[in-house]
Amino acid sequence: MRIGDKLENLNPQVFAEADQRKENPSDWDDAVRDPFDGREVFDLIRSIRDPEHPLTLEQLNVVSEEQCEVDDAGNHVKVLFTPTIPHCSMASLIGLSVRLKLLHTLPCRFKVDVVITPGSHASEAAINKQLADKERVAAAFENPDLLSVVNKCIAPRPLAASVG
Amino acid sequence: MSTAIATLTGHKDRVWNVAWNPKGTILTSCGSDHSIRLWSKEGDAWVCKTVLSEAHTRTVRSVAWSPSGSTLASASFDATVNIWDCREENIECVATLEGHENEVKSVAWAASGALLATCSRDKSVWVWEVAEDDEYECVSCLPSHSQDVKKVVFHPTADILASASYDNTVKLYREECDDWSVFCTLSGHESTVWSISFDSSGHRLASVSDDRTVKVWQEYLPGNKEGVATPEGAPVWKCVCTLSGFHQRAIYDVSWCSLTGAIATSCGDDCIRIFKEQPNSDPNAPVFDLLLTIQQAHAEDVNSVTWNPTVVGLLASASDDGTIKLWDFSHIF
C-alpha cells in the first residue's frame, strides 16, 4: 500500500471513542441468551484501522454504533460506513476490511450487508455492488497482496499503556 | 419432503458448483478448497470416488462434462481451465487452457462436443474448438460484455451460446461466416445476472439475478406468427415472464429440467425453490407456479442446483456450508 507521497485526507477529523458497554447482571448468567445487537457488531469493527492513517474507523467516524443494524432473529446484519471524503479511493478497501472481520467473527447464520452511507461517496453504487458480490470478494481475498493489506487494517494493535 | 436423501461432505470450504455427467451416474463438485470431487452411488449410499486436488492453485469455480461423458472441464480463479480424461479409472489432466487475464468463472460444452466456451472477470467469452488428441484451439475472443462474465451455457442442440454478466445483461452469440458474434442482448435485470439455463427445446431461457428475480425469455424466429419484428433476419428474444417477490436474497443458480420442465433455483436465503409452467399457459405470456420452497435447504447460501439428466426429480445442490445435498422431488411431478 502506497502510504508514501500524498495522503488523500491530510487532516481528518478525529472523533472521541465511545464508552464501554453498560453491563447488565444477566450478561454473566449463562442460562440467559444474549442476542447480538448493534453494539456487539460495532465492537467487532471499531478498531479496524484506516489504510492511510494510524487511526481507527471509530476515531474517524467511518463506522458508528448507530450504523450497525442487527436483526438477530432474522439473521441479518447491515453495516453502513461513511468514507471521510466523497472521493476516497480507500472506500473499497475499508468495505473489504469490515467484510473480512465480520466473516471471521460472526456466526455463519448471519447474512451481512456492508454498504456505504447513502450520499457519502461519489461511486457508492459501484462500490456497494462490488462489496455485495461474494464471488468478487472471495476472489479478492485470494489475492495475497490485497489480503495482506486488509489483514494489516484488521490486525489488533499492540496494547497501549493506557488500556482501561 | 424437505429432507435431503443424502448429504455429501468432504469439501473443506464452500462448494461453488455441481454438475452431473450425461448418464446421470456421476456427480461432480468443485469449490474454494481448490479441489474437484466425483461422487457416485455404491449400493444405497453416495460415495466420493475421486478427489482431484493438485491441478488448480485457486478456487475451482465451475465444472462441466462433455456430451460424450468422456471429458470433464474445470474452470478456476487461477485463470486456467483444465481438461480431464475420464475414460479410465485413473482420471488425468490432459490439457490446460490458458489465456484469460484473470478468474475464469464458467465453462460449457456445445451439444456436438466439438466446441467449448469459457468466460472470465476479464469481461470476455472465449470459444474453443476441440480437435483430436486433446488439442484445444481458441477460435474466438468475444469482449462483448462491459463487466465480469459470470456464466456461459450452450443451446441444447444448436451452436448458439449464451452468457450472463455483472453488467446486468445476457448475450446470445452465433457463428456467422466463420466468426462468432452477438446477435441479441437481453436487458431487463436490475443487477448482476448470475446464471442462465435453456429449456429442453432451446426456445426459452431462464435467467436469475442479484435483483432477486427469475426471468423467462422466449425466442421469436424470423416469420413468427406473433408478428414480432426480427431485424436483419436474426432471432429476437423477449422476456415473457418475471418471477419476483419469492426470493429474499440474490439468486445464484437456475436449472431447467429437460425431463419435467421444472425450474429449480438456488438462493442466498438458503432456500431451493421449484417452479413449473401452468399447463394451459399462454405461450407468449406463460404463468409459472411456485411448486415448492425448501426452507433452510442448507445452513448457508445455496450456490448451485442441477437436475439429474436421466432420473426424474433428482436434484443436486451445493452450498457455502461446504456440503452437497441430493433431493428427490419425483413426487411433485
Side-chain angles (χ1 to χ4, degrees):
Chain A
M1 184 89 278
R2 250 188 48 247
I3 311 194
D5 358 338
K6 200 168 190 262
L7 288 182
E8 273 189 348
N9 190 357
L10 281 176
N11 285 309
Q13 198 180 355
V14 182
F15 293 74
E17 286 177 10
D19 293 328
Q20 287 270 50
R21 185 192 189 104
K22 290 214 169 24
E23 280 181 16
N24 204 314
S26 72
D27 288 348
W28 298 100
D29 182 352
D30 279 347
V32 175
R33 186 179 170 275
D34 301 316
F36 273 86
D37 58 11
R39 176 64 196 240
E40 182 149 9
V41 171
F42 175 61
D43 281 339
L44 290 170
I45 61 176
R46 64 200 287 195
S47 40
I48 294 174
R49 278 189 304 292
D50 178 86
E52 278 192 319
H53 312 88
L55 294 165
T56 66
L57 296 185
E58 172 183 21
Q59 289 170 325
L60 292 165
N61 205 28
V62 171
V63 297
S64 68
E65 183 180 340
E66 296 70 48
Q67 298 210 303
C68 294
E69 298 168 10
V70 176
D71 173 6
D72 188 47
N75 298 319
H76 188 218
V77 167
K78 183 173 176 181
V79 173
L80 293 124
F81 70 99
T82 316
T84 53
I85 50 174
H87 287 90
C88 175
S89 62
M90 304 286 133
S92 284
L93 197 51
I94 293 171
L96 280 178
S97 304
V98 171
R99 268 221 171 275
L100 190 61
K101 183 68 202 267
L102 294 178
L103 192 64
H104 286 161
T105 51
L106 288 179
C108 55
R109 64 182 168 93
F110 280 104
K111 303 294 179 193
V112 181
D113 291 318
V114 177
V115 164
I116 292 181
T117 304
S120 63
H121 197 279
S123 310
E124 64 189 64
I127 295 176
N128 285 342
K129 192 173 183 182
Q130 283 182 336
L131 290 174
D133 185 322
K134 70 177 188 185
E135 186 186 60
R136 292 283 282 262
V137 170
F141 290 147
E142 281 188 2
N143 174 334
D145 296 328
L146 182 55
L147 188 59
S148 103
V149 173
V150 171
N151 278 331
K152 284 205 187 72
C153 295
I154 292 177
R157 261 213 140 143
L159 287 177
S162 58
V163 119
Chain B
M1 298 288 136
S2 48
T3 39
I5 57 178
T7 299
L8 312 180
T9 55
H11 275 289
K12 299 183 176 53
D13 201 335
R14 71 188 350 149
V15 187
W16 275 114
N17 192 223
V18 274
W20 293 100
N21 68 339
K23 286 210 183 86
T25 53
I26 304 175
L27 183 68
T28 323
S29 61
C30 62
S32 289
D33 61 4
H34 310 181
S35 79
I36 299 158
R37 283 171 181 258
L38 285 88
W39 312 78
S40 49
K41 217 164 174 194
E42 238 170 50
D44 274 338
W46 284 84
V47 184
C48 179
K49 288 303 209 32
T50 315
V51 181
L52 305 170
S53 52
E54 300 300 306
H56 285 295
T57 53
R58 287 182 57 179
T59 288
V60 188
R61 179 62 180 88
S62 150
V63 278
W65 285 89
S66 67
S68 65
S70 55
T71 315
L72 180 69
S74 60
S76 168
F77 284 1
D78 67 12
T80 70
V81 170
N82 278 329
I83 307 290
W84 306 84
D85 181 346
C86 302
R87 285 170 299 184
E88 311 282 317
E89 273 282 335
N90 194 18
I91 298 179
E92 267 186 24
C93 178
V94 294
T96 299
L97 310 184
E98 291 172 336
H100 278 295
E101 287 169 26
N102 45 49
E103 298 92 59
V104 187
K105 308 271 169 111
S106 178
V107 59
W109 295 82
S112 61
L115 295 171
L116 192 65
T118 58
C119 66
S120 161
R121 178 168 64 88
D122 66 12
K123 308 175 193 162
S124 68
V125 169
W126 289 35
V127 182
W128 307 75
E129 233 163 49
V130 187
E132 286 144 21
D133 282 358
D134 306 322
E135 289 285 313
Y136 291 77
E137 195 197 331
C138 178
V139 295
S140 198
C141 284
L142 304 152
S144 321
H145 280 288
S146 56
Q147 294 276 5
D148 183 6
V149 191
K150 301 293 198 186
K151 181 100 180 187
V152 275
V153 303
F154 270 99
H155 186 279
T157 49
D159 278 350
I160 290 174
L161 180 62
S163 63
S165 167
Y166 186 98
D167 71 9
N168 310 351
T169 70
V170 171
K171 285 183 186 283
L172 297 167
Y173 312 76
R174 63 179 181 180
E175 198 179 9
E176 265 176 295
C177 315
D178 257 4
D179 215 5
W180 284 82
S181 61
V182 177
F183 68 88
C184 195
T185 296
L186 312 181
S187 306
H189 277 296
E190 291 167 6
S191 189
T192 299
V193 188
W194 279 103
S195 187
I196 40 183
S197 181
F198 279 100
D199 74 344
S200 56
S201 69
H203 293 306
R204 280 191 174 162
L205 180 73
S207 61
V208 291
S209 167
D210 178 62
D211 70 7
R212 308 176 185 183
T213 69
V214 180
K215 282 184 184 288
V216 176
W217 310 80
Q218 182 149 276
E219 181 184 42
Y220 291 90
L221 295 168
N224 63 80
K225 63 174 165 42
E226 288 85 0
V228 174
T230 53
E232 288 152 35
V236 156
W237 287 72
K238 287 176 143 341
C239 179
V240 292
C241 183
T242 299
L243 302 170
S244 50
F246 299 102
H247 299 83
Q248 311 301 316
R249 308 262 317 164
I251 312 171
Y252 292 113
D253 202 10
V254 61
S255 179
W256 203 329
C257 185
S258 54
L259 303 172
T260 60
I263 295 176
T265 61
S266 64
C267 186
D269 62 10
D270 310 346
C271 302
I272 291 173
R273 293 173 175 82
I274 317 275
F275 296 88
K276 195 153 194 278
E277 188 181 359
Q278 269 179 12
N280 297 315
S281 250
D282 171 2
N284 298 305
V287 178
F288 282 82
D289 290 326
L290 172 62
L291 293 188
L292 192 54
T293 301
I294 309 291
Q295 299 281 0
Q296 284 277 290
H298 282 271
E300 296 176 58
D301 292 8
V302 193
N303 295 321
S304 181
V305 269
T306 179
W307 291 104
N308 186 292
T310 54
V311 180
V312 171
L314 180 58
L315 184 78
S317 63
S319 168
D320 274 355
D321 67 9
T323 70
I324 296 146
K325 289 191 181 183
L326 294 173
W327 310 83
D328 176 11
F329 294 123
S330 53
H331 62 284
I332 61 176
F333 298 119

